[in-house]
Amino acid sequence: MSTFNLGSTLPAVEVTSKGEILLENGKIQYANWSSASLKGKIRTVHHLAGRSAAKEINEPLIDALKKANLPQDCYQTTTIINVNDAIFGTAGIVTMMVEGGKKEFPWSSIVVDAKGAVQKAWGLEKESSAIFVLDANGAILFSKDGALSSAEVKTVLNLIEAELANAEA
C-alpha cells in the first residue's frame, strides 16, 4: 500500500484502455484520460475495484457528497473504476452499469480503467476503494486506501467546504 504526502500530487498516470466516459449526443464515447486533468477544480478522487463490495466500502462518503450539492463550476468527483479488478467474467457488466451511471449523471467524471493502470501507478490495494481530496492545483489534501470512518467522512466534507470557501475568497 502506498502512502501519499499531503501537499504533493498523485503520481502521473494515463488510462488508454477504455478511459474517461464521455456522453456525446446521448452516445457513450471513451477518451484517453490522464491524472494531469485532475487540476482546475477541487476534487474528490474515488478509485475502486470493479466489484460491488468495493463500491460499498466508501458509499457513506459518496452519499454525503451527493447530498452536499457542491457547486459544479469549482468542484467535481472523479470516479475511477478498475474493471481489471472485477470478479472474473463481470467486467462487461460493470462497464455497462458505469455507462448507465454516466447517462444518469452526465456531469460526472468517470474513468473506466480496463488494465488497472491507476491502481498499479498509485500502488493501491486490490479489491478496495481509495479516496483522495485534491485542491484546484492537484495537491493532495487527504488520502486513504480503504474504508473511511464516519469521522473521516466529516473531515473530507469539511476539507472540501474549506477549500471552496478559500476559492471564493
Side-chain angles (χ1 to χ4, degrees):
M1 183 169 100
S2 287
T3 55
F4 297 89
N5 296 322
L6 298 183
S8 67
T9 56
L10 290 164
V13 63
E14 291 190 5
V15 176
T16 56
S17 183
K18 285 289 188 190
E20 184 166 12
I21 301 176
L22 304 175
L23 193 59
E24 295 178 11
N25 301 321
K27 296 206 184 325
I28 294 290
Q29 307 284 329
Y30 283 90
N32 289 348
W33 177 85
S34 167
S35 56
S37 68
L38 294 172
K39 294 180 180 177
K41 288 186 179 186
I42 298 157
R43 289 186 195 271
T44 301
V45 178
H46 182 202
H47 179 279
L48 67 155
R51 40 182 82 219
S52 57
K55 183 179 183 235
E56 292 165 9
I57 292 171
N58 282 310
E59 206 157 35
L61 173 65
I62 301 308
D63 290 343
L65 289 169
K66 287 176 186 171
K67 287 180 188 141
N69 199 23
L70 299 163
Q72 293 176 21
D73 59 330
C74 51
Y75 172 83
Q76 187 159 41
T77 300
T78 297
T79 305
I80 305 167
I81 298 112
N82 180 3
V83 295
N84 190 48
D85 190 3
I87 294 170
F88 181 76
T90 63
I93 295 164
V94 171
T95 301
M96 281 184 0
M97 290 173 65
V98 171
E99 289 175 354
K102 178 66 176 184
K103 287 180 178 176
E104 187 178 350
F105 303 103
W107 61 87
S108 60
S109 172
I110 304 171
V111 178
V112 176
D113 186 353
K115 301 245 167 129
V118 175
Q119 185 251 330
K120 290 172 194 147
W122 295 353
L124 302 173
E125 294 290 322
K126 289 185 178 253
E127 300 181 21
S128 192
S129 165
I131 298 291
F132 303 91
V133 178
L134 309 178
D135 70 12
N137 296 316
I140 300 168
L141 302 174
F142 177 92
S143 72
K144 183 166 183 188
D145 195 353
L148 272 62
S149 67
S150 56
E152 287 169 324
V153 169
K154 287 180 183 140
T155 296
V156 165
L157 292 172
N158 290 339
L159 267 172
I160 293 167
E161 288 172 5
E163 277 302 302
L164 288 169
N166 288 340
E168 291 171 3

